[in-house]
């Protein structure tokens, strides 16, 4: 694995720990906001259970999730545009406030058709903040290693928030779904308040960036989609997320087929979460000095191999070993992918690049359950083979382009 090339700013980069210590306050503010938001983000996890409890079929609940997924893609695209046009701070607030109101309204919505509309709108508004939040991190730092450290902190906040949210959401759902969705709405409002009060948009572009930044809004996503390096990265993201989401599709199906219980699957997911909480930050620091394309390739390969090997595990210990393998790949790639995208982004286009990344992410995670379930229906071997092939493909797409590829 080759070491990372010098930063394009020409500044000698500090070590990863030094980069963490010197992160601007804006990184910590947006990370605090995302921790609050994720700790109260209950709807995506509990909406299916809520709909089934109120009498909807599993198919109807799945349809609602599909509509929400379409909203996620559109929300990322809209958020990328808004982040570059009206600024990061107000884009996040514009996402948080309507999401809070819509989510709090869910338990009071009667007709199923209206539930579909409301949840679809939540899918859209709840994702508008994502490109803007990522753009805050890109704006705040000047070197590759600082960028990686910023996204590592952001990811740690997301993971802590998600862990807290699982516990809090379970308690609230056991009490009342009304309180669950009201709590979700309150968390969204608090997220918006943190950003509105504490965060300020970064300084204007440097003088040498003015001309390029002024052109960017005129061409928008058309310009971004003409970037071949970005298109390769986006395709890699779609394939890699298709592979990773099989941890919640193919793996539970396999666990059931080999005679293990839901509690066993919960242990495996808890093991994954614990590893990420404890080890992702130091793992990111360990790989920070290597060239990101090779780090992403190795990480994607580990995820693909680890999940494909799930198909040969028939007991809890061997399956836990495969979880360790694909979780290592997850930890290697997560922050590096965001930071690498930041290094590809031209001035004035940060929001749009992050918006396209978010759209690619949601396409991969949305298509994964559909394609993975269809492959498993053909035969478990078909899914494990598909995962292995997709893991290799995502690793190949992460590698630097050769001169022959252009």
């Amino acid at each position: 694995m080759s070491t990372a090339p010098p930063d394009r700013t020409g500044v000698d980069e500090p070590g990863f720990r030094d980069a963490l210590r010197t992160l601007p306050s804006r990184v910590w503010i947006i990370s605090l906001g995302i921790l609050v938001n994720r700790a109260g983000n209950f709807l995506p996890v509990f909406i299916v259970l809520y709909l089934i409890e109120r009498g909807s079929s599993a198919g109807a609940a799945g349809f609602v999730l599909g509509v929400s997924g379409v909203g996620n893609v559109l929300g990322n695209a809209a958020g990328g545009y808004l982040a570059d046009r009206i600024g990061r701070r107000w884009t996040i607030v514009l996402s948080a406030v309507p999401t809070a109101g819509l989510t709090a309204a869910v338990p009071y919505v009667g007709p199923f058709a209206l539930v579909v509309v409301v949840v679809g709108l939540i899918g859209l508004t709840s994702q508008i903040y994502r490109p803007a939040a990522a753009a805050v991190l890109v704006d705040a730092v000047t070197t590759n290693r600082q960028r990686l450290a910023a996204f590592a902190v952001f990811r740690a906040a997301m993971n802590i928030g998600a862990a807290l949210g699982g516990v809090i959401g379970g308690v609230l759902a056991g009490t009342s779904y009304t309180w669950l969705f009201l709590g979700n709405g309150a968390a969204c409002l608090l997220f918006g308040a943190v950003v509105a009060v504490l965060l300020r948009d970064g300084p204007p572009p440097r003088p040498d960036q003015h001309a390029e930044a002024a052109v960017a809004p005129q061409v928008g996503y058309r310009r971004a989609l003409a970037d071949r390096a970005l298109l390769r990265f986006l395709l890699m993201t779609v394939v890699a997320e298709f592979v990773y989401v099989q941890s919640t599709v193919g793996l539970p199906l396999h666990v059931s087929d080999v005679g293990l219980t839901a509690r066993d699957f919960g242990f495996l997911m808890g093991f994954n979460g614990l590893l990420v909480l404890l080890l992702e930050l130091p793992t990111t620091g360990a790989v920070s000095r290597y060239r990101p394309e090779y780090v992403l390739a190795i990480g994607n390969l580990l995820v693909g191999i680890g999940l494909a090997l799930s198909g040969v595990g028939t007991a809890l210990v061997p399956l836990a070993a495969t979880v360790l393998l694909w979780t290592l790949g997850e930890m290697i790639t997560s922050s590096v992918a965001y930071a690498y995208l930041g290094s590809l982004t031209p001035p004035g286009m940060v929001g749009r690049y992050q918006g396209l990344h978010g759209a690619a992410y949601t396409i991969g995670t949305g298509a994964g359950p559909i394609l993975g379930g269809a492959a498993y229906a053909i035969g478990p071997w078909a899914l494990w083979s598909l995962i292995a092939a997709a893991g290799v493909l995502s690793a190949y797409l992460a590698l630097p382009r050769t001169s022959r590829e252009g």
Side-chain angles (χ1 to χ4, degrees), residues 94-118:
L94 185 64
S95 173
V97 173
T99 301
L102 288 166
T103 305
V106 168
Y108 303 104
V109 175
F112 178 77
L114 191 55
V115 172
V116 173
V117 172
V118 170

Side-chain angles (χ1 to χ4, degrees), residues 128-194:
I128 287 175
Y129 84 88
R130 291 178 67 100
V136 168
L137 304 183
V138 175
D139 295 341
V141 298
T142 57
T143 68
N144 286 334
R145 195 154 291 165
Q146 274 191 319
R147 188 181 300 118
L148 185 56
F151 278 105
V153 169
F154 186 75
R155 279 272 309 170
M158 289 179 64
N159 291 329
I160 294 170
L164 291 173
V167 176
I168 298 170
V171 172
L172 290 176
T175 304
S176 165
Y177 277 110
T178 298
W179 283 110
L180 179 85
F181 293 123
L182 289 176
N184 195 154
C188 289
L189 274 183
L190 183 55
F191 176 38
V194 167

Side-chain angles (χ1 to χ4, degrees), residues 343-357:
S343 72
L344 295 179
T345 308
M349 298 288 288
V350 177
R352 289 175 173 84
Y353 270 56
Q354 293 292 338
L356 287 171
H357 179 227

Side-chain angles (χ1 to χ4, degrees), residues 39-397:
N41 190 29
F42 310 130
L43 185 140
V45 178
F46 290 96
I47 187 64
V48 169
L49 294 177
Y50 167 72
L51 290 172
I52 290 175
E53 183 174 286
R54 58 172 268 171
S56 299
S57 66
F63 175 74
V64 172
L65 279 183
V67 172
S68 177
V70 173
N72 291 168
V73 175
L74 297 176
N76 275 281
Y81 172 81
L82 290 170
D84 286 338
R85 294 292 287 188
I86 67 173
R88 299 14 173 165
R89 178 189 180 201
W90 294 115
T91 297
I92 295 171
V93 174
L94 185 64
S95 173
V97 173
T99 301
L102 288 166
T103 305
V106 168
Y108 303 104
V109 175
F112 178 77
L114 191 55
V115 172
V116 173
V117 172
V118 170
V119 174
L121 288 173
I122 292 170
L124 189 154
T125 61
S126 66
Q127 297 298 303
I128 287 175
Y129 84 88
R130 291 178 67 100
V136 168
L137 304 183
V138 175
D139 295 341
V141 298
T142 57
T143 68
N144 286 334
R145 195 154 291 165
Q146 274 191 319
R147 188 181 300 118
L148 185 56
F151 278 105
V153 169
F154 186 75
R155 279 272 309 170
M158 289 179 64
N159 291 329
I160 294 170
L164 291 173
V167 176
I168 298 170
V171 172
L172 290 176
T175 304
S176 165
Y177 277 110
T178 298
W179 283 110
L180 179 85
F181 293 123
L182 289 176
N184 195 154
C188 289
L189 274 183
L190 183 55
F191 176 38
V194 167
V195 171
V197 173
L198 300 179
L199 186 69
R200 294 295 180 268
D201 279 325
R206 299 188 304 268
D208 62 326
Q209 295 177 333
H210 276 301
E212 192 170 358
V215 173
Q218 299 174 14
V219 292
Y221 281 116
R222 183 176 59 187
R223 179 186 179 195
L225 293 172
D227 185 340
R228 298 176 74 176
L230 174 65
L231 290 178
R232 186 182 179 101
F233 176 82
L234 295 176
L235 181 57
M236 179 211 76
T237 300
V238 172
V239 177
E241 291 307 321
F242 161 79
V243 173
Y244 181 77
V245 82
Q246 301 311 318
S247 61
T248 61
V249 180
L251 181 57
L253 291 173
H254 176 69
V255 165
S256 177
D257 283 352
V258 298
L260 298 176
T261 66
R263 179 177 296 180
D264 294 324
F265 177 69
F267 167 79
L268 295 174
M269 292 297 96
F271 183 45
N272 163 256
L274 181 63
L275 288 172
V276 170
L277 280 173
L278 295 179
L279 300 178
E280 183 170 307
L281 199 59
T283 300
T284 301
V287 302
S288 64
R289 62 193 182 93
Y290 298 106
R291 184 164 176 169
E293 295 96 325
Y294 294 117
V295 173
L296 289 172
I298 291 174
N300 288 344
L301 195 61
L302 288 174
V303 174
I305 292 173
L307 282 168
L309 287 176
S310 300
V312 299
T314 57
L316 193 58
V317 171
L319 285 172
T322 67
V323 171
L324 177 62
L325 189 59
W326 59 257
T327 302
L328 177 60
E330 174 191 0
M331 294 187 294
I332 287 174
T333 59
S334 294
S335 297
V336 173
Y338 283 101
Y340 175 63
L341 177 61
S343 72
L344 295 179
T345 308
M349 298 288 288
V350 177
R352 289 175 173 84
Y353 270 56
Q354 293 292 338
L356 287 171
H357 179 227
Y361 175 92
T362 51
I363 289 170
T365 56
I370 299 170
L371 298 177
Y376 201 87
I378 295 171
W381 62 269
L383 177 61
W384 309 126
S385 300
L386 180 60
I387 289 173
V392 172
L393 176 59
S394 63
Y396 169 75
L397 291 169

